């Protein structure tokens, strides 16, 4: 038996460097644990301010996308008050592998926010980074479902990424994993401000100890 089995479902890597508006995440799907991408692009101006989602998403993930849209707008307003991108754009968010059903808040919330902000700011997300975790309307990061999901998501990430972001509450779950499952640069966070710095900031910004804000 393999000491480090592959996940049941695994999406092939699509990009060496994810384009603006694209971020990699870790999801628990009907086919097993996997890496997946979230892609956001700008649509027609009619219906500006709206968000359209595709990719066979379940109701929970659709709600997560709407929460993420609200949070991303608030963060952009705080970071760059002159940027009117969200108010003036109709956005289309898609998760590839459309034949695979996808649901759950941890599969989409934090990375949806990152995908939306990447497009709005025209900034690439850090290369070889993936994340997971539910986000609240105030920017807090909630835990994923225990040690089994942490283990399976870590295994799914190993072939594609170098840096992974987990919710702070799951720190112990990761620490309890067998050494052969680890080997990644892992960050644990409890607020989106920390993800923002890891995804978009330079090395010095990542090291800064910032006070979290409520959005």
């Amino acid at each position: 038996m393999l000491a480090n089995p592959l996940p049941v479902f695994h999406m092939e890597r699509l990009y060496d460097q994810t384009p603006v508006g694209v971020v990699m995440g870790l999801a628990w799907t009907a086919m097993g644990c996997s890496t997946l991408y979230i892609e956001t692009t700008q649509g027609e101006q009619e219906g500006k301010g709206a968000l359209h989602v595709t990719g066979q998403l379940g109701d929970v993930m659709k709600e997560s996308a709407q929460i993420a849209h609200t949070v991303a707008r608030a963060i952009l307003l705080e970071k760059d008050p002159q940027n009117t991108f969200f108010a003036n754009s109709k956005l289309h968010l898609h998760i590839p592998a459309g034949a695979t059903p996808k649901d759950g808040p941890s599969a989409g919330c934090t990375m949806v926010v990152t995908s939306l902000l990447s497009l709005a700011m025209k900034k690439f997300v850090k290369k070889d980074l993936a994340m997971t975790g539910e986000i609240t309307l105030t920017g807090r990061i909630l835990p994923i479902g225990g040690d089994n999901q942490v283990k399976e998501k870590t295994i799914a990430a190993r072939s594609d990424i170098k840096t992974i972001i987990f919710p702070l509450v799951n720190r112990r779950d990761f620490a309890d994993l067998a050494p052969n499952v680890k080997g990644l640069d892992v960050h644990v966070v409890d607020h989106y401000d920390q993800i923002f710095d890891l995804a978009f900031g330079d090395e010095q910004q990542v090291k800064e100890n910032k006070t979290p804000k409520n959005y």
Side-chain angles (χ1 to χ4, degrees):
M1 181 179 293
L2 293 175
N4 186 6
L6 293 175
V8 175
F9 172 75
H10 177 76
M11 169 171 275
E12 293 184 1
R13 189 181 186 94
L14 298 180
Y15 310 101
D16 290 329
Q17 166 67 60
T18 51
V20 167
V22 178
V23 63
M24 183 184 286
L26 303 167
W28 187 277
T29 75
M31 299 293 290
C33 194
S34 70
T35 57
L36 53 75
Y37 291 95
I38 282 190
E39 304 175 332
T40 307
T41 188
Q42 190 172 10
E44 310 89 7
Q45 292 303 304
E46 183 180 353
K48 61 185 181 181
L51 177 68
H52 177 59
V53 297
T54 56
Q56 201 176 162
L57 311 186
D59 289 340
V60 175
M61 188 176 277
K62 288 177 182 177
E63 285 190 353
S64 296
Q66 293 300 325
I67 292 168
H69 190 212
T70 298
V71 173
R73 292 178 72 138
I75 292 173
L76 186 65
L77 180 64
E78 190 267 330
K79 300 284 186 183
D80 185 5
Q82 303 305 313
N83 190 330
T84 60
F85 177 82
F86 287 126
N88 295 324
S89 302
K90 180 179 180 181
L91 303 178
H92 184 171
L93 186 147
H94 178 66
I95 303 182
T100 304
K102 310 169 188 75
D103 205 4
S106 67
C109 258
T110 50
M111 58 178 174
V112 170
V113 175
T114 305
S115 173
L116 290 167
L117 288 173
S118 171
L119 187 66
M121 299 185 301
K122 295 181 171 58
K123 287 187 176 182
F124 295 99
V125 176
K126 179 182 176 182
K127 186 177 180 181
D128 298 324
L129 171 71
M131 63 190 74
T132 186
E134 180 177 356
I135 194 168
T136 73
L137 279 173
T138 60
R140 298 288 165 175
I141 307 302
L142 303 183
I144 62 174
D147 57 349
N148 189 49
Q149 279 205 32
V150 171
K151 177 182 178 180
E152 294 300 323
K153 288 185 177 185
T154 302
I155 291 172
R158 283 171 59 95
S159 63
D160 278 331
I161 68 164
K162 297 178 181 177
T163 305
I164 187 171
I165 300 174
F166 279 124
L168 178 63
V169 178
N170 294 112
R171 175 170 52 188
R172 182 180 295 275
D173 298 320
F174 183 82
D176 290 342
L177 296 181
N180 66 308
V181 177
K182 298 178 182 178
L184 297 170
D185 178 20
V186 173
H187 297 262
V188 292
V189 301
D190 63 359
H191 195 276
Y192 189 80
D193 275 356
Q194 298 160 289
I195 295 177
F196 186 93
D197 291 339
L198 289 165
F200 301 112
D202 58 28
E203 185 175 355
Q204 184 59 39
Q205 287 176 311
V206 171
K207 291 179 181 178
E208 290 178 359
N209 182 16
K210 295 191 173 182
T211 301
K213 303 177 182 64
N214 286 332
Y215 294 109

